[in-house]
């Protein structure tokens, strides 16, 4: 935990907000989720709160165990490798970019009458964009040929839902992964894992 304080502080906040959601009455639960959503309505009226708050809530509190595992698998090794500051830059850039791109597409679809105007108010929260970014950064942690195999696998993982389900969230995941991959300059001078899994000592 000392080697990845940002990861575990973030996870602790998500655990706390998940507890709030789990204990809150239905009406209050909806209030918290909508207030911290990064949907079009919230981005237009409270952009900073929408972008920041949406990164600390998940809709289903029962998913906290899965998110804890993913944080340890993806965020923790990236933070240890890059350092907290660079890791935070990569994750924040991906979260903001993926949110703005996906919501811009929603706005265009509303204007073209492809989706109802109610899409501007849907709940849009979660930490998955940051996880996708760390998955992208991890590609630079691996040596060849493992890097190529990893890239094929992680690209397929995010591309298949984008092609089949074609949701705005799937688009956001693809954008976040691309941002993570584009963060290669942050990894310069960092050693790669020759024959070892990311984070191994």
């Amino acid at each position: 935990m000392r080697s990845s304080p940002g990861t575990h502080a973030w996870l602790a906040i998500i655990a706390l907000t998940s507890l709030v959601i789990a204990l809150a009455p239905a009406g209050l639960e909806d209030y918290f989720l909508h207030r911290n959503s990064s949907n079009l309505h919230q981005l237009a009226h409270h952009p900073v709160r929408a972008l920041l708050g949406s990164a600390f809530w998940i809709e289903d509190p029962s998913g906290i165990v899965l998110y804890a595992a993913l944080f340890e698998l993806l965020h923790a090794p990236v933070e240890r490798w890059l350092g907290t500051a660079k890791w935070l830059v990569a994750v924040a850039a991906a979260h903001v970019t993926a949110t703005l791109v996906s919501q811009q597409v929603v706005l265009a679809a509303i204007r073209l009458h492809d989706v109802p105007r109610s899409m501007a108010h849907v709940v849009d929260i979660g930490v998955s964009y940051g996880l996708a970014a760390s998955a992208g950064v991890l590609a630079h942690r691996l040596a060849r040929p493992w890097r190529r195999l990893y890239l094929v696998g992680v690209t397929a993982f995010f591309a298949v839902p984008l092609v089949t389900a074609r949701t705005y969230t799937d688009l956001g995941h693809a954008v976040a992964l691309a941002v993570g991959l584009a963060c290669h300059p942050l990894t310069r001078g960092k050693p790669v894992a020759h024959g070892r899994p990311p984070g191994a000592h």
Side-chain angles (χ1 to χ4, degrees):
M1 292 179 65
R2 288 194 298 269
S3 63
S4 51
T7 294
H8 293 94
W10 190 3
L11 187 59
I13 295 173
I14 293 171
L16 180 60
T17 57
S18 296
L19 181 61
V20 170
I21 292 296
L23 299 178
L28 191 57
E29 172 188 344
D30 291 340
Y31 169 79
F32 282 132
L33 294 179
H34 280 90
R35 179 180 173 82
N36 290 282
S37 287
S38 53
N39 55 35
L40 286 172
H41 176 77
Q42 292 295 334
L43 285 172
H45 293 86
H46 310 284
V48 175
R49 187 183 71 195
L51 289 170
L52 184 61
S54 60
F56 294 101
W57 297 77
I58 57 176
E59 285 191 71
D60 183 5
S62 65
I64 187 62
V65 175
L66 173 61
Y67 279 112
L70 291 174
F71 268 53
E72 296 297 339
L73 182 65
L74 297 173
H75 283 318
V78 172
E79 184 181 1
R80 284 196 295 269
W81 184 45
L82 295 184
T84 300
K86 290 183 177 180
W87 162 78
L88 186 58
V89 167
V91 171
H95 177 75
V96 171
T97 303
T99 298
L100 295 180
V101 169
S102 60
Q103 289 303 313
Q104 184 63 38
V105 174
V106 173
L107 178 60
I110 291 175
R111 289 175 173 172
L112 292 172
H113 306 290
D114 290 336
V115 297
R117 288 187 172 275
S118 60
M119 285 292 294
H121 298 271
V122 296
V123 172
D124 183 26
I125 58 172
V127 299
S128 55
Y129 292 163
L131 288 167
S134 281
V137 174
L138 274 177
H140 305 300
R141 179 76 169 95
L142 302 174
R144 297 175 181 177
W146 306 112
R147 181 182 301 172
R148 293 175 182 173
L149 293 174
Y150 176 84
L151 278 172
V152 170
V154 76
T155 300
F157 181 84
F158 290 106
V160 170
L162 178 61
V163 173
T164 57
R166 301 177 64 185
T167 69
Y168 299 107
T169 301
D170 293 327
L171 173 62
H173 289 151
V175 171
L177 175 66
V179 172
L181 291 171
C183 285
H184 181 261
L186 296 178
T187 71
R188 288 174 182 166
K190 300 294 183 179
V192 297
H194 294 281
R196 294 177 296 148
H201 297 286

